[in-house]
Amino acid sequence: MADGNVATGLSLDDDVLNEAAKWRKEGRNVALATVVSTWGSSPRPTGSHLAVDEDGKLVGSVSGGCIEGAVVSEAMEVMQNGKPKVLEYGVTNELAWEIGLACGGTIQVFVEKVE
Amino acid sequence: MKQEILSRLLENQASKRAFALVTDMESGDQTLVYPDSADGADGGNAEILSAARQAIQDDRSKVHELSGRRIFVETFNPPLRMLIVGAVHIAQPLSRMASVAGYDVTVIDPRGSFNTEERFPGISLNAEWPDDGMRALDPDRRTAVVTLTHDPKLDDPGLEVALKSEAFYIGSLGSRKTHAGRVERLTAAGFTEAEISRIHAPVGLNIGSISPAEIAVSILAQITEVLHRKIEAREAA
């Protein structure tokens, strides 16, 4: 995608937010990760959501699967201390070999606890 | 995010309301901003409210530097709409594909034998004459209009209403010859060359489509292209 920042309202992400709300109502700890910026080619546009519960159960995505594992472990921490966090991933990241984006883009993800 | 904000956000989405969620990326404080009101931590910050309202207009989520803070503005607009004139064969795959792509689709056709729930399961149907149906559905700049009957008495009335709207895409099925006749009729009806040139005809990208489903793919692909090119042009401006 030439510019991942194009939001069109076409997102089929509604289910992610509904699911997050449902999990929270069931009393589970939930964190929500949102793509807030992208540079270069990145697989999911700004506004894409990933919800994670305390058992590491996932719904949605913030990349094509490249960084979800890393985001989940950060989400666990955010769930515990309640402090929101901005994560950045891309080819310039020193951990690029492990959790970089194969497509060569860079993305910023905001992670917050659903309280 | 507070559970209360999340529930209100979901309610807004369900009622197809346009709004933005404003998040302070440091503190995590959030505000729901509507075109004419706001609710939350930054509900009184004029700079943030105006940026968020512009973002709703542009349908563009991004990080802003505002009041010395990093603020993520995420826009939530109601789904794009597609109004199809003609409950014909091509309309069946097109309405289904467009629904999957996130469009709120309505098929307009006064002919009761075509416009049936069996042929269009789960799709909104409008049985009025296309000009009345089109007027009632009131296409806006988040709407694509496609006419598929290639029968002037049905397509033209729908087109005439669509051409006076801000619909971001207008396309009409029919050969070059059919379209030449259409251009003549619309000119006689008082439309200018510039207005008529908004119509994509023959409809769809030229990808050699043969079957109704393949033609639907080419139409949806062209609508997608026009939609994103328009957003890119607005951003470049």
Side-chain angles (χ1 to χ4, degrees):
Chain A
M1 155 175 339
D3 179 357
N5 286 336
V6 174
T8 61
L10 279 175
S11 152
L12 296 175
D13 266 350
D14 311 13
D15 291 347
V16 178
L17 299 175
N18 272 306
E19 202 64 14
K22 206 179 97 198
W23 289 350
R24 188 65 203 109
K25 278 192 188 119
E26 289 167 7
R28 292 144 81 175
N29 278 318
V30 182
L32 184 65
T34 306
V35 176
V36 295
S37 338
T38 66
W39 294 269
S41 67
S42 60
R44 298 281 282 129
T46 300
S48 301
H49 296 289
L50 168 74
V52 185
D53 81 352
E54 58 198 28
D55 300 324
K57 195 171 166 190
L58 307 181
V59 58
S61 71
V62 289
S63 75
C66 327
I67 58 161
E68 270 73 6
V71 172
V72 167
S73 62
E74 298 279 358
M76 293 295 182
E77 197 190 311
V78 169
M79 253 180 253
Q80 271 170 10
N81 65 22
K83 228 176 106 42
K85 203 166 179 181
V86 179
L87 312 172
E88 192 171 316
Y89 300 96
V91 285
T92 54
N93 193 299
E94 57 180 23
L95 294 174
W97 288 108
E98 286 103 54
I99 53 169
L101 292 163
C103 48
T106 304
I107 70 171
Q108 241 182 24
V109 179
F110 179 75
V111 187
E112 63 191 317
K113 183 181 181 177
V114 181
E115 306 181 276
Chain B
M1 181 183 290
K2 295 204 165 55
Q3 218 182 319
E4 177 199 328
I5 294 219
L6 180 55
S7 340
R8 218 155 339 131
L9 188 157
L10 292 169
E11 280 165 29
N12 290 340
Q13 273 193 316
S15 58
K16 298 183 179 174
R17 208 168 163 188
F19 66 100
L21 173 68
V22 169
T23 304
D24 181 311
M25 289 170 65
E26 183 75 34
S27 67
D29 287 343
Q30 288 170 321
T31 310
L32 288 168
V33 179
Y34 305 92
D36 49 10
S37 65
D39 193 5
D42 283 308
N45 185 319
E47 192 186 1
I48 290 178
L49 292 186
S50 109
R53 285 176 182 144
Q54 187 58 50
I56 297 172
Q57 273 278 308
D58 297 343
D59 207 353
R60 172 84 146 80
S61 299
K62 67 168 195 173
V63 177
H64 298 251
E65 296 282 338
L66 295 168
S67 306
R69 292 145 56 199
R70 292 180 69 215
I71 305 283
F72 178 54
V73 177
E74 183 173 6
T75 59
F76 294 84
N77 270 300
L80 295 162
R81 289 189 297 155
M82 183 184 295
L83 308 181
I84 301 174
V85 173
V88 298
H89 198 166
I90 294 169
Q92 292 178 285
L94 179 58
S95 59
R96 287 168 65 183
M97 289 175 192
S99 298
V100 171
Y103 287 81
D104 203 338
V105 182
T106 304
V107 175
I108 307 169
D109 198 320
R111 300 170 296 181
S113 53
F114 287 84
N115 202 358
T116 65
E117 169 67 24
E118 291 77 57
R119 284 165 56 84
F120 296 93
I123 302 291
S124 303
L125 302 175
N126 179 302
E128 289 181 84
W129 205 259
D131 49 355
D132 292 333
M134 195 64 71
R135 249 190 303 274
L137 292 160
D138 191 20
D140 59 12
R141 63 194 199 105
R142 296 176 52 76
T143 307
V145 173
V146 185
T147 70
L148 295 178
T149 72
H150 59 68
D151 177 348
K153 90 177 172 297
L154 290 167
D155 281 352
D156 286 9
L159 273 178
E160 290 184 17
V161 176
L163 283 173
K164 287 176 187 144
S165 78
E166 287 191 310
F168 75 86
Y169 174 93
I170 301 174
S172 286
L173 185 77
S175 64
R176 279 173 211 290
K177 199 171 150 223
T178 304
H179 187 58
R182 184 183 290 133
V183 170
E184 260 175 49
R185 291 189 305 276
L186 289 171
T187 306
F191 287 94
T192 66
E193 199 183 326
E195 286 169 330
I196 296 170
S197 72
R198 286 175 65 196
I199 302 172
H200 291 81
V203 73
L205 297 183
N206 187 1
I207 53 172
S209 297
I210 295 169
S211 72
E214 289 172 348
I215 294 168
V217 167
S218 84
I219 296 172
L220 190 55
Q222 185 172 53
I223 293 174
T224 306
E225 180 184 41
V226 169
L227 170 72
H228 290 293
R229 295 285 180 268
K230 283 199 177 169
I231 290 176
E232 283 170 13
R234 211 155 63 223
E235 280 175 2

